[in-house]
Amino acid sequence: MKQYNIAVIPGDGTGPEVVREAIKVLDAAAQKFSLKLNYTHYDLGGERYLRTGETLPDSVINELRQFPVILLGAIGHPNVKPGILEKGILLRLRFELEQYINLRPVKLYDERFCPLKDKKPDDIDFVVVRENNEGLYTGAGGFVFKGTPNEIAVQESINTRRGVERCLRFAFDLTRRRNRAKKLTLCGKTNVLTYAFDLWERAFHEIGQRDYPDVKRDYAHVDATTMWFVKNPEWFDVIVTDNMFGDIITDLGAMIQGGMGIAAGGNINPNGTSMFEPIGGSAPKYTGQNVINPLAAVCAGQMMLDYLGETAAATAIENAVIRTVREKLKSLAAGKMGYSTSQVGDLVAAALQ
Ligand code: IPM
Ligand code: MN
């Protein structure tokens, strides 16, 4: 029997509730496909920080390195100043574990939940490959004359040839493997960010021409990309972009696929520890009420199994999610699903059988 060791970080807010349902569904899939999933829970997040002052001890990072994958609930606490937990836990994990890809599929399962008129599941099915270790996220920059009328704040976008190339290669490989339109769109801002995206654009065409002649290369400015997401989402197959633009466009992507209740992502280090998460956040106002939609976490679990090579189990989870969404749910939004958080987990687990 195949075994996998999984680190679990339930985290803050509704994180623990949705992770519980993801594990329920993963266990149902494990049983059906004869897998053994071993979970090790880690207590990280706002509560621990408020109790002990610790965000992410080095010893914990080193333990996490021993796992192929991590399942994460959410990080973010209303009583902790913005930035501390995000930088201290989430971004630190992404950086120190060198999860240089943030993979965010945008797939509509049921047209009832799409805010765009006349768009069907066939029209909204693409993947965003977001660079996850560089850009505006590294913390490079600083203040001069802080707190005075002359103060200056500089926040620099870091784009290394190595970081950009490995991200582009991942995106080209994925486009080839998906084998759909075989089109990779670079999303940038070459008309203004004439250094950063000049590097991206040159690397994109060099690598594409030399090593991926079978993949069509396409380019869109980031502002236009948001327009196309609304107007012609069917235009996209795979999109590759930098960290900040990827952050922004994937929130819009989540909305057109039905909202934060269903959107999942993977922080990937193909040679190390990867981490899968619902992208919606900790939703503090719904905490403990059993009303949050767990499907984003379930889909994160599905992406995790797929990444581990358990394609059949992953596909079975996806199909069970699709059936649950189409046949049962009234809405994908918290409190409006027609079912509680744990009932939605039960429905997916049952649909798997
Ligand atoms: C995301 C989140 C994070 C990001 C925040 C919480 C730091 O918005 O995963 O998209 O900006 O990457
Ligand atoms: Mn975001």
Side-chain angles (χ1 to χ4, degrees):
M1 193 182 277
K2 271 214 170 147
Q3 287 209 38
Y4 297 100
N5 295 331
I6 301 168
V8 180
I9 305 174
D12 295 318
T14 51
E17 291 164 67
V18 299
V19 162
R20 200 175 305 131
E21 301 315 309
I23 288 179
K24 186 189 280 177
V25 172
L26 284 167
D27 283 341
Q31 200 182 5
K32 184 163 175 174
F33 292 89
S34 302
L35 308 172
K36 189 157 182 301
L37 305 180
N38 310 311
Y39 307 100
T40 308
H41 279 69
Y42 285 88
D43 171 26
L44 296 171
E47 293 298 333
R48 176 172 179 168
Y49 173 72
L50 292 171
R51 218 170 49 237
T52 67
E54 283 177 318
T55 47
L56 180 57
D58 292 342
S59 60
V60 174
I61 283 246
N62 287 328
E63 278 182 46
L64 290 171
R65 287 185 204 283
Q66 311 305 312
F67 293 86
V69 291
I70 302 169
L71 183 63
L72 172 70
I75 297 291
H77 194 291
N79 301 339
V80 180
K81 191 176 161 223
I84 294 180
L85 301 172
E86 292 84 346
K87 280 192 164 176
I89 303 178
L90 184 63
L91 298 181
R92 190 154 165 238
L93 285 168
R94 288 178 182 169
F95 290 164
E96 293 219 11
L97 298 175
E98 248 188 285
Q99 295 163 342
Y100 62 84
I101 297 296
N102 195 325
L103 192 63
R104 297 190 164 179
V106 176
K107 192 164 174 181
L108 177 65
Y109 287 143
D110 185 330
E111 63 192 85
R112 285 182 299 146
F113 304 134
C114 183
L116 306 178
K117 197 158 147 273
D118 299 332
K119 295 297 177 190
K120 312 242 177 316
D122 273 351
D123 298 317
I124 301 181
D125 185 356
F126 60 88
V127 183
V128 178
V129 175
R130 164 185 174 188
E131 200 291 322
N132 209 32
N133 280 174
E134 302 192 339
L136 283 165
Y137 275 69
T138 64
F143 290 108
V144 189
F145 310 129
K146 188 177 177 189
T148 76
N150 297 326
E151 77 177 319
I152 301 168
V154 178
Q155 193 105 37
E156 287 162 323
S157 176
I158 304 298
N159 299 266
T160 68
R161 184 75 190 205
R162 168 177 168 270
V164 170
E165 277 201 13
R166 66 184 178 179
C167 177
L168 290 170
R169 284 193 187 281
F170 185 97
F172 275 114
D173 283 330
L174 175 68
T175 312
R176 186 180 268 169
R177 224 173 330 117
R178 257 170 76 87
N179 199 20
R180 296 170 67 94
K182 282 221 183 171
K183 178 165 94 171
L184 179 61
T185 304
L186 173 65
C187 165
K189 190 73 185 171
T190 51
N191 52 349
V192 176
L193 305 181
T194 49
Y195 310 129
F197 279 99
D198 187 76
L199 189 159
W200 275 85
E201 196 178 36
R202 277 184 287 114
F204 180 63
H205 291 298
E206 280 169 30
I207 291 171
Q209 198 168 36
R210 181 164 12 99
D211 296 336
Y212 302 90
D214 53 320
V215 174
K216 290 189 242 358
R217 276 167 278 136
D218 172 40
Y219 173 82
H221 291 319
V222 63
D223 47 350
T225 302
T226 64
M227 176 182 77
W228 296 121
F229 271 24
V230 173
K231 199 169 172 290
N232 294 101
E234 64 278 4
W235 214 49
F236 294 111
D237 178 12
V238 179
I239 298 171
V240 63
T241 191
D242 83 349
N243 209 341
M244 187 80 260
F245 291 166
D247 177 48
I248 296 167
I249 67 173
T250 54
D251 266 25
L252 180 55
M255 286 303 121
I256 66 173
Q257 75 181 119
M260 287 301 179
I262 192 89
N267 302 273
I268 312 277
N269 175 348
N271 312 304
T273 304
S274 296
M275 178 167 75
F276 298 83
E277 56 176 342
I279 75 172
S282 59
K285 71 174 175 184
Y286 297 119
T287 302
Q289 296 179 34
N290 203 23
V291 297
I292 194 80
N293 187 345
L295 289 179
V298 170
C299 291
Q302 171 234 313
M303 288 182 75
M304 182 177 84
L305 286 185
D306 190 53
Y307 173 78
L308 289 169
E310 295 299 336
T311 320
T315 305
I317 293 181
E318 185 175 28
N319 288 334
V321 168
I322 292 174
R323 272 188 58 195
T324 303
V325 166
R326 290 196 185 151
E327 295 171 16
K328 307 282 185 187
L329 299 197
K330 291 199 185 63
S331 160
L332 296 178
K336 299 183 182 149
M337 300 182 289
Y339 298 90
S340 67
T341 305
S342 45
Q343 284 174 326
V344 172
D346 291 340
L347 287 170
V348 180
L352 251 172
Q353 296 313 321

